[in-house]
Amino acid sequence: MKAKTPKESVVEMTELVLPNDTNLLGNLLGGKMMHWIDIAGAMAASRHSNTAVVTACVDSLDFRYPVRVGELVMLNAKLTWVGRTSMEVKVKVYTENIKTGETILTNKAYITYVALDDEGKPTPVPPLCPETDEEKKDYQEAEMRRNERLKKKAQKLKNVSIENNYSPYTDQ
Ligand SMILES: CC(C)(COP(=O)(O)OP(=O)(O)OC[C@H]1O[C@@H](n2cnc3c(N)ncnc32)[C@H](O)[C@@H]1OP(=O)(O)O)[C@@H](O)C(=O)NCCC(=O)NCCS
């Protein structure tokens, strides 16, 4: 499979914060922001892999500043790393105050997606070829995050038989 650069699958998405997206204080709901971040990241991953993708994990998600009703939310999603079937995407979120034109970085997230074939099975993705110094640094840092993630997953799998036995009356 031919390698692709991170630039080739970048997604830029802009949303307007409407009253229905906000809480009682007029601030954007965290869940709505997470939805937009997930969609922007999934589109970048799909562009890279040319497949459907599913979200495997959200590695980190910061909420740095509240976002107000009437502001513009600009999302930039870019691949940082790929494995055999998985891809990590960095999503940076800026908000713009329409009246002042001021923009600030309000959120940053790292999300891992897995490419699926028509049967819903993980399928190989093209290699990623980072070009700029920043992309190369992102790639190295993503690899460290992946190693941490795999460790955590292995730990969780040890407990899975307990977790699968859900009961609303026990606190496990
Ligand atoms: C993600 C999913 C397809 C992985 O399936 P799986 O049977 O674990 O597949 P594999 O073990 O072959 O792993 C496939 C890839 O996913 C990666 N992966 C699996 N679980 C992961 C996790 N929790 N975090 C990061 N990567 C993960 C593996 O490292 C592997 O990557 P690689 O091919 O680049 O080495 C499966 O767990 C799934 O369908 N989950 C539900 C996804 C979903 O519905 N998301 C919506 C949000 S609820």
Side-chain angles (χ1 to χ4, degrees):
M1 240 184 266
K2 189 172 167 282
K4 290 182 175 179
T5 65
K7 219 188 297 168
E8 286 177 76
S9 52
V10 164
V11 165
E12 298 274 356
M13 188 174 127
T14 305
E15 297 284 342
L16 171 65
V17 181
L18 294 170
N20 208 30
D21 304 323
T22 64
N23 63 18
L24 296 175
L25 301 170
N27 294 334
L28 178 65
L29 293 163
K32 190 72 192 182
M33 176 65 91
M34 285 156 72
H35 175 72
W36 288 337
I37 288 173
D38 190 29
I39 295 288
M43 286 195 285
S46 275
R47 250 188 191 161
H48 179 83
S49 60
N50 299 117
T51 66
V53 300
V54 282
T55 311
C57 88
V58 179
D59 205 79
S60 78
L61 174 57
D62 299 330
F63 289 94
R64 301 178 185 195
Y65 302 99
V67 183
R68 304 280 306 156
V69 65
E71 291 187 333
L72 290 182
V73 175
M74 287 141 341
L75 301 102
N76 173 289
K78 192 175 184 184
L79 265 77
T80 53
W81 178 91
V82 307
R84 198 180 79 83
T85 65
S86 65
M87 298 157 278
E88 189 196 71
V89 181
K90 173 167 72 175
V91 183
K92 282 158 88 174
V93 185
Y94 297 86
T95 56
E96 180 179 335
N97 180 312
I98 296 178
K99 288 183 191 155
T100 63
E102 187 196 4
T103 62
I104 46 171
L105 178 70
T106 49
N107 299 76
K108 196 158 85 167
Y110 293 96
I111 311 176
T112 303
Y113 298 90
V114 176
L116 299 184
D117 64 15
D118 292 342
E119 273 79 52
K121 299 262 161 43
T123 189
V125 301
L128 186 70
C129 178
E131 288 181 312
T132 65
D133 286 347
E134 191 187 341
E135 287 167 2
K136 287 174 189 165
K137 186 168 167 271
D138 278 347
Y139 194 94
Q140 282 175 355
E141 289 175 0
E143 238 163 11
M144 287 190 256
R145 276 190 295 275
R146 172 174 165 89
N147 292 337
E148 283 305 308
R149 234 176 266 135
L150 290 180
K151 269 191 227 160
K152 277 189 201 156
K153 192 180 175 190
Q155 193 60 44
K156 276 186 197 158
L157 283 175
K158 278 188 192 163
N159 301 328
V160 84
S161 60
I162 300 168
E163 288 176 356
N164 278 348
N165 294 327
Y166 171 72
S167 161
Y169 305 111
T170 56
D171 185 18
Q172 289 173 343

